Amino acid sequence: MITRGDCETMDRTDALAAARDRFLLPADVIYLDGNSLGALPARTAARLADAVTQQWGQGLIRSWNAAGWVNLPEQLGRKIAGLLGAADNEVIVADSTSINIFKLLAGALTMAGGERGRRVILSERGNFPTDLYMSQGLNSLLGDIYELRLVDGNIENAFDATTAVALITQVDYCSGRLHDMKRLNAKAREAGTRIVWDLSHSAGAVPVALNDDGAELAVGCGYKYLNGGPGAPAFAYLAASLQRDFPTPLSGWFGHAAPFAFDTNYRPAPGIERLQCGTPSVLAMLALAVGLETFDGISMQDLRQKSLRLSDLFWTLMDAHCGPFGFSCVSPREHADRGSQLSFAHEHAYPVMQALIDRGVIGDFRQPNLLRFGFTPLYLRFADMYDAVMIIRAVMATEAWAEPRYAQRNRVT
Ligand SMILES: *Cc1c(COP(=O)(O)O)cnc(C)c1O
């Protein structure tokens, strides 16, 4: 039986333990929801205060140049590229994930458009809803000439000569299942098509090797594992080989080759800059910049190792202490098959999660019956796993979750 003392020993020898100081966390909280909203970095408040009072207040419009505001989308893109195994000029920070899906999916469909018979947009039924909704809306805008084909089983076998584009999320938001990017890219290439990858639950959570694994198009989220703050700007990746001719559908002036030439006609920037649309959200980008700095000097391999150790420990402790209470883990057991989260199905998942949140163990609930726990190695301790499972056990053993107030549904779950 693993004791709390064992967990404390693991913390004492943890090479990433000091990274916790890069964050400000409430003392009475075990935060297992960094996969939904990353924790607040210690430096964010001061950096934003300076940005508002000095850069904006004193610098005024001069700060676009003097404080480098105008460079933020590319500068943060380079930093994210480093986390994802992409080249410096292949990632840009802009807009939201949903909007970046629209841009890349539309562009990829246009590129495939010459080929008759390729009329299928391939995705998974369990994909994050916005990915499906954006595909539906785009298809409708294009006159419903495509079929959105949603695969239930193994998407690997679904690629064929009718596939125009596939939209695939690497780490499933519900189960945490992790796709083998290299293998699927090879399948797509064999079938003469391409994949738009959604890395929302991958970026900053698992090692990603976009270039080595043959990825051409990807999007992802800034406010989850990247710690950019609520509603942080998202990113888009476009392999260098596609950039020159990539047909971006949102031809805003910030993606123009020369925005301040004020030409009448749209002429896209030659590189990744063309994936920008309008004026960047500077304050939000500065918060994301601090979020990305929390990864400075940390290897994704070390991060991954600790993530798997934390989640294995949590799972083992759940089995040992919460076995009789009806939880069943729906996440893949194999390390190679899962991201940085575990989800447990339970008949009373919603009220159980509300009771846990009330006691400082913050995860979240996902339809229809999942308690979801995210593991963020930069600020979680092994002892947190122990304490969280003890609180779960207490909530179950005392049936505290059955209080009527925990059944009340909030707008955000
Ligand atoms: C969180 C998430 C998004 C979020 O999209 P927004 O436009 O930022 O709301 C998109 N896709 C996946 C797979 C996600 O997990």
Side-chain angles (χ1 to χ4, degrees):
M1 206 58 132
I2 297 167
T3 65
R4 191 174 199 282
D6 295 334
C7 298
E8 288 165 5
T9 304
M10 294 179 215
D11 283 320
R12 274 195 295 274
T13 54
D14 170 21
L16 296 185
R20 184 175 168 88
D21 297 337
R22 300 178 182 190
F23 296 88
L24 292 176
L25 286 154
D28 51 356
V29 159
I30 299 171
Y31 195 57
L32 304 175
D33 215 0
N35 52 325
S36 221
L37 172 64
L40 172 66
R43 294 184 179 153
T44 303
R47 193 76 63 83
L48 286 189
D50 176 71
V52 171
T53 57
Q54 296 305 312
Q55 295 183 4
W56 179 12
Q58 299 301 310
L60 294 164
I61 201 164
R62 294 171 289 191
S63 289
W64 277 105
N65 294 309
W69 288 350
V70 72
N71 304 321
L72 283 168
E74 294 144 70
Q75 187 188 318
L76 302 191
R78 278 195 293 279
K79 199 125 188 183
I80 293 173
L83 293 175
L84 300 179
D88 277 354
N89 60 348
E90 291 180 319
V91 178
I92 191 105
V93 169
D95 303 312
S96 65
T97 305
S98 301
I99 288 173
N100 289 336
I101 289 170
F102 183 89
K103 288 187 278 196
L104 293 196
L105 192 60
L109 285 172
T110 305
M111 281 194 300
E115 281 196 65
R116 270 201 312 257
R118 291 201 181 267
R119 284 292 182 247
V120 170
I121 302 171
L122 203 58
S123 196
E124 293 176 288
R125 193 174 308 281
N127 201 349
F128 192 82
T130 208
D131 298 56
L132 303 182
Y133 302 161
M134 294 309 289
S135 307
Q136 289 160 11
L138 175 59
N139 189 23
S140 151
L141 186 68
L142 297 174
D144 280 319
I145 57 173
Y146 294 96
E147 173 203 342
L148 179 60
R149 189 175 295 165
L150 301 182
V151 178
D152 288 299
N154 191 349
I155 197 163
E156 193 176 314
N157 304 320
F159 292 92
D160 61 26
T162 68
T163 314
V165 177
L167 175 60
I168 302 180
T169 296
Q170 192 190 15
V171 176
D172 181 74
Y173 78 104
C174 273
S175 67
R177 182 235 54 237
L178 170 67
H179 275 308
D180 183 335
M181 180 179 274
K182 190 174 201 138
R183 204 181 154 85
L184 285 182
N185 280 333
K187 285 278 172 190
R189 207 170 318 111
E190 252 170 58
T193 183
R194 353 185 110 87
I195 299 174
V196 176
W197 286 99
D198 188 331
L199 306 178
S200 290
H201 287 273
S202 316
V206 297
V208 177
L210 289 171
N211 285 175
D212 285 352
D213 287 351
E216 295 181 300
L217 305 129
V219 301
C221 207
Y223 51 81
K224 293 172 178 162
Y225 292 93
L226 298 182
N227 306 311
F235 65 86
Y237 157 86
L238 189 56
S241 58
L242 298 187
Q243 288 179 7
R244 270 214 84 78
D245 300 313
F246 190 78
T248 176
L250 296 184
S251 42
W253 73 309
F254 259 74
H256 193 279
F260 284 85
F262 293 100
D263 282 350
T264 306
N265 293 315
Y266 182 71
R267 188 162 45 88
I272 191 73
E273 303 89 338
R274 76 171 56 188
L275 285 181
Q276 292 182 88
C277 184
T279 308
S281 182
V282 170
L283 297 179
M285 293 231 176
L286 290 171
L288 177 59
V290 185
L292 293 170
E293 287 168 17
T294 63
F295 288 86
D296 283 355
I298 308 263
S299 96
M300 281 308 296
Q301 267 60 35
D302 289 352
L303 197 99
R304 173 65 169 165
Q305 251 201 343
K306 182 173 173 190
S307 148
L308 291 169
R309 285 180 68 210
L310 286 168
S311 50
D312 281 348
L313 176 63
F314 188 87
W315 197 337
T316 302
L317 292 167
M318 280 294 286
D319 284 348
H321 298 282
C322 295
F325 300 123
F327 294 100
S328 93
C329 191
V330 302
S331 302
R333 177 71 74 171
E334 289 295 319
H335 287 171
D337 298 333
R338 78 169 193 255
S340 199
Q341 69 173 71
L342 291 176
S343 295
F344 292 83
H346 192 277
E347 193 187 348
H348 303 294
Y350 188 82
V352 168
M353 183 51 80
Q354 301 317 302
L356 291 177
I357 292 170
D358 212 18
R359 287 155 181 79
V361 177
I362 302 183
D364 57 24
F365 164 82
R366 286 294 175 264
Q367 291 285 1
N369 63 344
L370 294 179
L371 296 113
R372 193 171 69 150
F373 301 101
F375 302 96
T376 45
L378 292 180
Y379 48 83
L380 283 174
R381 298 166 297 206
F382 292 96
D384 292 329
M385 304 300 101
Y386 189 89
D387 295 341
V389 171
M390 289 307 123
I391 291 170
I392 297 170
R393 180 168 77 167
V395 159
M396 301 314 297
T398 60
E399 295 190 16
W401 59 267
E403 274 184 54
R405 63 186 169 124
Y406 294 137
Q408 205 139 26
R409 294 281 171 124
N410 295 317
R411 276 185 74 187
V412 174
T413 63

